[in-house]
Structure formats: C-alpha cells, structure tokens
Amino acid sequence: MSELKVGLAGLGTVGAAVFRMLERRAGELEARTGRTVKVTAVAARDRSRDRGVDLSSVAWFEDPVALAREGDIDVFVELMGGDGDPAKAAVAAALDRGIPVVTANKALLAKCGVELARRAEASGAGLHFEAAVAGGIPIVKTLREALAGNAIERVSGILNGTCNYILTRMADEKLSFHVCLTEAQRLGYAEADPTFDIDGFDTAHKLAILTSLAFGTQVDADAIYVEGIRQLTLADLEAADDLGYRVKLLGVAVKTDTGIEQRVHPTMVPKHWPIAQVSGVTNAVAVDGDAVALTLVGPGAGGDATASAVVGDIFDVARGAKGYAFGLPVERLARAERAAMQRHEGGYYIRLAVVNKPGTAATITRRMADEQISLESIVQRQPGGVVPSDTAHVILITYATTEAAVRRAIAAIEADGVVASLPQVIRIEKD
Amino acid sequence: MSELKVGLAGLGTVGAAVFRMLERRAGELEARTGRTVKVTAVAARDRSRDRGVDLSSVAWFEDPVALAREGDIDVFVELMGGDGDPAKAAVAAALDRGIPVVTANKALLAKCGVELARRAEASGAGLHFEAAVAGGIPIVKTLREALAGNAIERVSGILNGTCNYILTRMADEKLSFHVCLTEAQRLGYAEADPTFDIDGFDTAHKLAILTSLAFGTQVDADAIYVEGIRQLTLADLEAADDLGYRVKLLGVAVKTDTGIEQRVHPTMVPKHWPIAQVSGVTNAVAVDGDAVALTLVGPGAGGDATASAVVGDIFDVARGAKGYAFGLPVERLARAERAAMQRHEGGYYIRLAVVNKPGTAATITRRMADEQISLESIVQRQPGGVVPSDTAHVILITYATTEAAVRRAIAAIEADGVVASLPQVIRIEKD
C-alpha cells in the first residue's frame, strides 16, 4: 500500500484542523484510496506553540518554500494565506517540481491564479482549491466536474459570512448597520478593520475564481464591479421586506449579450429563492446552467469546514484525480472584461429622501419617464428619526432598465432640487 | 487525441437528452478531458421512432446486452430502467468486460448495487450513478469525494418530486391530498398508478443508495422503514404550520447508538431549515458531517437534469477518475440492519380526533405521563367538515421520546374510548 506524504505549510486554526482530520480519518482514507495519507512535514513559524497536535514524528521547516522545494512529500498543502510570498513562491516551487498543491488561499488565486495554473499545466501537477471559495461547500468540484455537461448562465452567491451575518441581524432584529458590525466584531465574525469583508473585496476574490470555473475566463478580480454593504440602512431592509425581497451581498457572474458581467453589490432577491433564506454566517452558491439550476448551502468559514474542503482535495490527489485547475487549459481561458455597469440591465430599487412638498412625486415620475423607465411600484413613507421630519422617503421599484438610465434619471431629479440626501440604489436579481 | 466511445442503452427522454448534450458539449468536453466524447452505438427497441437526434452514423443494437457485451465502446450508459433484465444483464456484461458503466437506474442499484459493485471491483471498471439519486443534484459525488474528510452523522432528503409537489400544493393552497394528487397526475408529475411515489418506495430506493455512500453500508432497500403521504390531511399541514414546521416526505439515514437507522416517512421539519423551504417538484439533500453540514437543492427529475448528471459521470470516465462504486471496497461495506422503529427517538406530532366531552384532555395527558412522555404543547381544535361536530382535534407535540412509548400511550388512549377515528402520528426531525 503506497503512502501519500503530505507537506503542510501553515499551522493556524485550519492547518491544525487538517492535521487532526487526516489523523482521525486515516483508516477511512486508506480504505477509500488504497493509500496511507499522512502528514510527514510541516512549515510554520513558531515551533514551540501548542497546537494540540503531535508533531514529534514530522519533519519541521521554518521556511515553507524550502518545504515545497526540498521536502520529501507527495502533495503540498498551503494554508498560510496572503497573495504574495512566501505563499506564492512556495506554491510555485511545489508545482514546478511536479508536486500537486492543495490551497485555501483565495487572495493568491484571485491575483496569481492564471500564472499558477500555467505552472501546474507545465509540470502536470494538479492545483486544487476547493477551500478557497465558500469554505465547506463543494462548489469548485461541482462547477469543474459535476456540471461539465452544462453551459453555465449565471453563478451567484453569498460568499462572505461577515456581511451575511450583519444583514441578517439588521433585518431580523431591526438594528443599524453599525450596531451589527460591532456585534460581529465582538463575536469574532469581523476583523478590527472590517474593510476587506464589508466593502466586498473578499467576495470579489471568491467570485473571480467561480467566474473562471463557470465561464472559462482568466481569473481577474480587477474585472469585477465592487460595492459593499456600508451604506445600507435598516429603512432599505424593511422596505425590501415589505416588497417581498431580502437584501444580500451577492457576488454575481452572468453571461450577457456583451460578455461575462462580474459584480459584487447589495442585491434584492425574491424571498422564495433558496439563497434569500440563507441567514447568519452561512454561505450559499446558486448556479444556473442550461440543464440544471442548483443551490448549495453550507459553512463558508471556520477551521473544520475549511479542513473538510482541504481533505476532500487531498483525497482527490490520493486517488489520482486529473484535471485542469480552472477546468480548461490556460491557453483556452478567455480574458475577463471589466463589467460595464452602465450597460447593466435589471430591475432597481431606488430610495430617495425628498423634500416633503407638493409636486415632488410628479417630478420624480416625469424624470423616470424621460429615461423610458417603467415603474413597478412607487411608495412614499414617513421615516423615523433618521431623516428630518420635513422630508419623506420615496421608494421606487423599476421594471428592467439599464444602470445608465437609472443614473441619468437620478441626476436629473437631484438637479430638480427635490432630493434631501444621497439616493440609495439597490439592484434586483430575478429569474 | 483519443476518443471515448459511448454506448447508450435506452433512448427515451433521458437518453435523447444525453445524446444531444454530448453533441452540444463535444468541444468543451474535448478541451476539458483531452478526449473526443462521442456516442458510437445505441440500443433501443424501435429504430423508426423520431427522437430528434441523428442516429445515422451510430451502430444500432436491438439488444442492450449485445451492445454491452460486443459493442466497440469505452463506456456503457444504461438508461433503460427496471431492476431486472435486460438492464441488469447489460450492466453486468459491461462491467465483466472491464467497461465502465454510467447508470441512472435507482431501482437496479437498490436491488443489485452490492453485486454490481463487486463486479466493477473485480474487473477494475468504474460504476457511476450520479443520476440515480436526486437527478441533477451532485449528491453522489459530494458524499463519495468532497466529504471524504467527514464522518457522516445524518443524511436526509426530499427525494421524490411528486410527493413534494403534492405536499406543497396542499399547504400553500389549502387543498386536500386527493385534489393535489389528481392535479399532479394531470401535469405528468405523478403516474396513473402513483403507489410507487406516494407510498415512499421511490424515496426508499434513493435513500438506500445514499445510506451506503454516507455510512459505508451495503445497499439494502429492505432495511428501510417506509411510510408514504397518503394519510396526511390538510388539518395536519395547517397544524404544523401554526407550530412552526413544514411537513415533508423525507428519507432519513442517521447514525444512532444502535446502528444506522434508515426511514422514509412524513416528517415535520422546522421552517427555518433550508430543506423546509424547498417547494414543488424540487429535490433537496441535507448532509450533516462532523465537520460540515451542507444542503443541496435542485431538480430531482426531468430529461435535462438527469442528462446533466449522466454527462458529469461520463466526464469523470473520460478523465480517468477512479474510485469504488460506494466509496469503499465491497468487502468493507457493513450489513445494513433494518431500522428498529420501536426504538426510534425523537419528538412526535400526534393528532387525535376525540369525543368532545369533559375529561378527555385529562385522559390523554395521563396516558402520556404514564409513558414518561413530556409534552411541549397540547392544543384542542374544532375542525371543519371532515369530522363530525361532536368531536374535536387534540394536537400534541412531544419532547424527545421513543416510538414504542408513543405507540403504547396511543393504544391506551384508544382503549379508554375517547378517540373517534384513527390517530395521526408524524415524527419531528430536529438539529
């Protein structure tokens, strides 16, 4: 029975969870693959730290690049994170040596995915990254393998647990964004500097990877339009609820007449969609193919969930599974074009804080008509404390139109002097 | 570039959809696997029938067993159905020849899965059956590959679209079981003889396969406790709704102290569970592992969805994916023991149509107390037309207890003479 020697770079929460899972499941993995899977070498900074795992029989490397380049290993597992060295150098070194790599590093893949896939192809080593997107949800395997018969039309997902936690608490408990953010930080769901999560960049990294797998494009996070959840108010979430929607931070990649549109922004989704009902830190990905539409729901982060995805990839390496990193040879991956959001077509939710005087509604509806925008509904509301009482909220839901038309109409309304503060615009996603 | 020659037995809705999908995706499949995937031989009964596909360059076999035994093919795709010959003989012949098999035939696998897996192992040919369970949902791949790092604790699913369609319409539109069944038949969601679907046997076939994959047991549909949805009334669904539950026909396999319990029955699930929100003919499978909990939602039937799963398997064959049919070598699969339902532990919904006289509630609660059953709630209701007006419904929700205790308590209440018609018992599934 041949051995699969695992080299593990990074022994934080996920690394230690992977180590323990491989020990716990050793017998099963051997029965299922015919190989004994064993961590034989690790790289981490502090040898003395107690991680709750027995490292006595394991070779220790201070330098992960040295482990990747010289370690007596059959697979290199990168769990250090960071989009530069040493993670990148280590992954490259392993691939160049022909050693398959398993990584959970979304930032690295979003930035250097194409280059690393090229190195993998050149040496014939596999590059596996199930854990990099949506944690424990097997969406990479689903797109790369299970849906091979489908032409994908849209991938959309709740890919950031922090944002979904905040939005869920705001909606369920009628709390402000800032209260929920503070609560998320207290519970360890958000960083002290939450920018990366709440401004949508983490979602964009993951979406870039999904887009490549779904549409055969080169991973390119810079091609994504990104908007975060900072500006969302409870008034918006309540209005969405009344109108039959929930507001989620979605990453969406969709095939349009002009190419693949990649975008991350708060989105109103119909309540009856499975994805609308995903609450808290849970993640979900919906895939619309020409033959099937699937929704996968599960934990997007955490040591055990991420370790589950990493060990699934190690299992694939052990049984000799072959395949291109992003499904296709690198030379076949098309360039990703930056989303032309002005051309985006869809329904819109627009909330305007307006001066409470006669003729305001007429002004607004005229400007919408000027841009050929049809309105599904228009509601005027007296808001609570947030806005001075001589203003009201006008909430518009449009039928499908273009971003450019919406922006022009709003600019015209602002020029008319009836708007009291910054308008809120939320895109609506429908079937 | 080597060719993968596909032999297709069965050219009904699914077979024709597979044929078209392989043509449509030929370029993609070649780019992704390095092989040209092409149907080179088919077996079907009526050569003259127009199936909307061009069979002119394809070898024609009247006999699927001859195709499997003698066809110049690299993979045998069985889409005939039926748990006996010719499907079984054809699959066996292909496997014995060392030719991998892709099948959508749940009945065959439920009955002969172990034998066929043994043949596959003996010759080294793969046996693939993603399409046999939950149609387009990649649950076989998820259990067999993605979750290899997890010890599975429970698998539960909505595995029959007919039943879920009926239950959804009953609950949403306040209709009777019989009206919804007739409607399902009219729309082609239910057969003229609906027994196989609505009495739970179809769900049991699929559950038997999932149990084997999740828990490493031998497929054995006879080990499953099966109850269908025929006896459910609108009153039950409405009471469930009031209590925060939905009623679904679930297949459940769960690890208990005494072994793997496999059961199919109407189940009350908390409304907030993703699986509770799955409506219409859609299927869903929830997997609870020790590291992750996932829910997968998608189409459980239909030509395109089934073809998607079949082509996903053909893709795996083309890229040379290896693995045991049920994850483990056959010799390692444990015997499945028949669920000892009397020992089942959980919460219960009990609806009793009782004689409307003083002391009835006292009788009922005393009998429950005699069996050490704690009640979470007890509600008395005056039902509409179904039951004569001198009776009332008493609805009990119990805390966790055993099936045996519930059955004994009900028998005692019946012996007390306060029950006007057959009691309704629905098991509750919780976290």
Side-chain angles (χ1 to χ4, degrees):
Chain A
M1 188 129 337
S2 81
E3 196 175 48
L4 184 84
K5 297 192 277 289
V6 178
L8 199 55
L11 274 178
T13 309
V14 176
V18 168
F19 196 100
R20 282 192 298 268
M21 192 177 283
L22 288 177
E23 283 195 331
R24 197 165 67 231
R25 297 284 290 174
E28 277 290 325
L29 290 171
E30 187 172 318
R32 286 169 187 271
T33 66
R35 302 181 71 172
T36 57
V37 180
K38 197 170 173 355
V39 177
T40 56
V42 298
R45 256 170 299 197
D46 181 1
R47 186 156 192 174
S48 61
R49 204 176 121 209
D50 179 14
R51 298 172 174 90
V53 295
D54 177 12
L55 298 171
S56 57
S57 64
V58 172
W60 183 276
F61 289 77
E62 299 272 321
D63 176 11
V65 183
L67 167 58
R69 193 175 287 142
E70 299 147 29
D72 176 23
I73 55 176
D74 302 307
V75 54
F76 179 73
V77 180
E78 187 275 304
L79 300 172
M80 296 175 287
D83 66 4
D85 295 333
K88 188 188 170 190
V91 168
L95 292 175
D96 290 349
R97 230 180 122 192
I99 287 181
V101 167
V102 174
T103 177
N105 192 333
K106 55 192 179 284
L108 176 62
L109 289 163
K111 193 173 171 192
C112 313
V114 175
E115 182 198 328
L116 295 174
R118 195 173 277 124
R119 286 177 188 268
E121 248 174 88
S123 74
L127 173 58
H128 306 260
F129 46 83
E130 186 61 81
V133 185
I137 301 175
I139 184 62
V140 172
K141 182 176 275 286
T142 297
L143 285 171
R144 193 159 57 175
E145 302 169 16
L147 298 182
N150 285 252
I152 306 297
E153 289 156 4
R154 175 167 62 181
V155 179
S156 54
I158 296 170
L159 302 172
N160 183 277
T162 309
C163 290
N164 206 51
Y165 174 83
I166 291 171
L167 293 177
T168 304
R169 287 209 62 177
M170 284 176 72
D172 288 357
E173 299 173 42
K174 314 239 172 275
L175 298 171
S176 75
F177 171 78
H178 284 287
V179 166
C180 295
L181 172 58
T182 306
E183 192 62 8
Q185 287 170 321
R186 193 181 65 79
L187 292 165
Y189 294 153
E191 308 281 333
D193 176 1
T195 304
F196 192 66
D197 288 319
I198 67 173
D199 289 343
F201 301 118
D202 174 71
T203 300
H205 281 170
K206 294 164 181 167
L207 180 65
I209 296 169
L210 291 184
T211 306
S212 179
L213 290 164
F215 297 103
T217 53
Q218 296 173 6
V219 184
D220 183 1
D222 294 334
I224 303 177
Y225 172 84
V226 183
E227 215 177 272
I229 63 168
R230 233 181 249 273
Q231 78 290 1
L232 290 175
T233 68
L234 181 55
D236 298 315
L237 271 56
E238 288 180 328
D241 186 56
D242 289 348
L243 294 160
Y245 295 91
R246 297 237 168 94
V247 181
K248 297 291 182 187
L249 182 73
L250 288 197
V252 181
V254 62
K255 192 164 202 162
T256 71
D257 294 341
T258 54
I260 309 300
E261 184 179 282
Q262 294 184 72
R263 47 194 164 81
V264 173
H265 53 70
T267 310
M268 283 177 39
V269 288
K271 273 183 196 174
H272 64 88
W273 279 17
I275 215 169
Q277 294 152 351
V278 172
S279 60
V281 294
T282 303
N283 282 18
V285 185
V287 185
D288 296 315
D290 59 350
V292 300
L294 295 176
T295 303
L296 281 64
V297 181
D304 280 347
T306 310
S308 168
V310 168
V311 172
D313 278 348
I314 294 172
F315 169 80
D316 276 351
V317 171
R319 67 193 185 99
K322 299 278 175 205
Y324 296 107
F326 294 99
L328 286 166
V330 170
E331 66 182 42
R332 292 284 299 260
L333 297 173
R335 262 184 67 87
E337 300 293 338
R338 186 168 167 83
M341 283 306 287
Q342 292 301 312
R343 286 207 301 264
H344 170 70
E345 288 181 31
Y348 284 78
Y349 160 98
I350 303 163
R351 177 173 54 78
L352 301 167
V354 298
V355 185
N356 212 347
K357 63 179 184 189
T360 298
T363 302
I364 291 168
T365 50
R366 192 180 61 245
R367 291 307 186 185
M368 291 288 157
D370 289 348
E371 294 294 343
Q372 313 295 324
I373 298 171
S374 298
L375 297 177
E376 187 179 313
S377 77
I378 173 164
V379 180
Q380 181 150 338
R381 294 185 162 208
Q382 217 56 43
V386 186
V387 185
S389 61
D390 57 345
T391 65
H393 284 178
V394 173
I395 290 162
L396 310 167
I397 300 287
T398 79
Y399 285 106
T401 177
T402 66
E403 180 101 4
V406 167
R407 296 299 174 185
R408 279 194 305 266
I410 291 174
I413 294 164
E414 288 183 308
D416 290 333
V418 299
V419 177
S421 64
L422 225 56
Q424 176 74 283
V425 175
I426 304 177
R427 296 168 195 89
I428 300 172
E429 199 77 15
K430 283 196 173 170
D431 288 304
Chain B
M1 189 128 336
S2 79
E3 197 175 45
L4 184 84
K5 296 192 278 288
V6 178
L8 199 55
L11 274 177
T13 310
V14 176
V18 168
F19 195 101
R20 282 192 298 268
M21 193 178 280
L22 287 177
E23 284 195 330
R24 198 164 66 232
R25 296 285 289 173
E28 277 289 324
L29 291 171
E30 185 171 320
R32 286 170 186 270
T33 66
R35 303 182 72 173
T36 56
V37 180
K38 196 168 172 0
V39 177
T40 56
V42 298
R45 255 169 300 194
D46 181 1
R47 186 157 192 172
S48 61
R49 203 175 122 210
D50 180 13
R51 299 172 172 90
V53 296
D54 177 12
L55 298 170
S56 57
S57 63
V58 172
W60 183 276
F61 289 76
E62 300 272 322
D63 176 10
V65 183
L67 168 58
R69 193 176 286 142
E70 300 146 27
D72 175 22
I73 55 174
D74 302 307
V75 55
F76 179 74
V77 179
E78 187 275 303
L79 301 171
M80 296 175 287
D83 66 3
D85 294 334
K88 189 189 169 191
V91 168
L95 292 174
D96 290 349
R97 230 179 123 192
I99 287 183
V101 168
V102 174
T103 177
N105 192 334
K106 55 192 181 287
L108 177 62
L109 289 162
K111 192 173 174 194
C112 315
V114 175
E115 182 200 327
L116 295 174
R118 193 172 279 123
R119 287 177 187 267
E121 248 174 88
S123 73
L127 174 58
H128 306 259
F129 47 83
E130 186 62 80
V133 185
I137 300 176
I139 185 62
V140 173
K141 182 175 273 285
T142 296
L143 285 170
R144 193 159 58 176
E145 303 170 16
L147 297 182
N150 285 252
I152 307 297
E153 290 156 3
R154 176 169 59 181
V155 179
S156 55
I158 296 169
L159 302 172
N160 182 277
T162 308
C163 290
N164 206 52
Y165 174 84
I166 291 171
L167 293 177
T168 304
R169 287 209 62 179
M170 284 176 72
D172 289 357
E173 299 173 41
K174 314 237 173 276
L175 299 171
S176 76
F177 171 78
H178 284 285
V179 166
C180 295
L181 171 59
T182 306
E183 190 63 9
Q185 287 169 321
R186 194 182 63 79
L187 292 165
Y189 294 153
E191 308 282 333
D193 176 0
T195 305
F196 192 67
D197 289 319
I198 67 172
D199 289 343
F201 302 118
D202 174 72
T203 300
H205 281 169
K206 294 165 182 168
L207 180 65
I209 297 170
L210 291 183
T211 306
S212 179
L213 290 163
F215 297 104
T217 52
Q218 295 173 7
V219 183
D220 184 1
D222 293 333
I224 303 177
Y225 171 84
V226 184
E227 213 178 274
I229 63 168
R230 233 180 249 272
Q231 79 290 4
L232 289 176
T233 69
L234 182 55
D236 298 315
L237 271 54
E238 289 182 327
D241 186 58
D242 290 347
L243 294 160
Y245 296 91
R246 297 237 168 93
V247 180
K248 298 291 183 187
L249 182 73
L250 289 196
V252 181
V254 62
K255 193 166 201 160
T256 71
D257 294 342
T258 53
I260 309 300
E261 183 180 283
Q262 295 184 69
R263 47 193 165 82
V264 173
H265 53 70
T267 310
M268 284 179 36
V269 289
K271 274 184 196 173
H272 65 86
W273 278 18
I275 215 168
Q277 295 154 351
V278 172
S279 60
V281 294
T282 302
N283 282 18
V285 186
V287 185
D288 296 316
D290 59 350
V292 300
L294 295 177
T295 304
L296 282 63
V297 182
D304 280 348
T306 310
S308 169
V310 169
V311 172
D313 278 347
I314 295 173
F315 169 81
D316 275 352
V317 171
R319 68 193 186 95
K322 298 276 175 207
Y324 295 107
F326 294 99
L328 286 166
V330 170
E331 65 181 45
R332 292 284 300 260
L333 296 173
R335 262 184 67 87
E337 300 293 338
R338 185 166 168 85
M341 283 307 287
Q342 292 300 315
R343 286 208 301 266
H344 169 71
E345 290 182 30
Y348 284 78
Y349 160 99
I350 303 162
R351 178 172 55 77
L352 301 167
V354 297
V355 184
N356 213 348
K357 63 179 183 188
T360 298
T363 302
I364 292 169
T365 51
R366 192 182 60 246
R367 291 305 184 186
M368 291 288 157
D370 289 347
E371 294 294 342
Q372 313 293 324
I373 297 170
S374 298
L375 297 177
E376 187 179 311
S377 77
I378 173 164
V379 179
Q380 181 150 338
R381 294 185 162 207
Q382 217 56 43
V386 187
V387 186
S389 61
D390 56 346
T391 65
H393 283 177
V394 173
I395 290 162
L396 310 166
I397 300 286
T398 78
Y399 285 106
T401 177
T402 65
E403 180 100 5
V406 167
R407 296 298 174 187
R408 279 194 305 264
I410 290 174
I413 294 165
E414 288 183 309
D416 290 333
V418 299
V419 177
S421 64
L422 225 56
Q424 176 74 284
V425 175
I426 305 177
R427 296 168 195 89
I428 300 172
E429 199 74 18
K430 284 197 171 168
D431 289 306

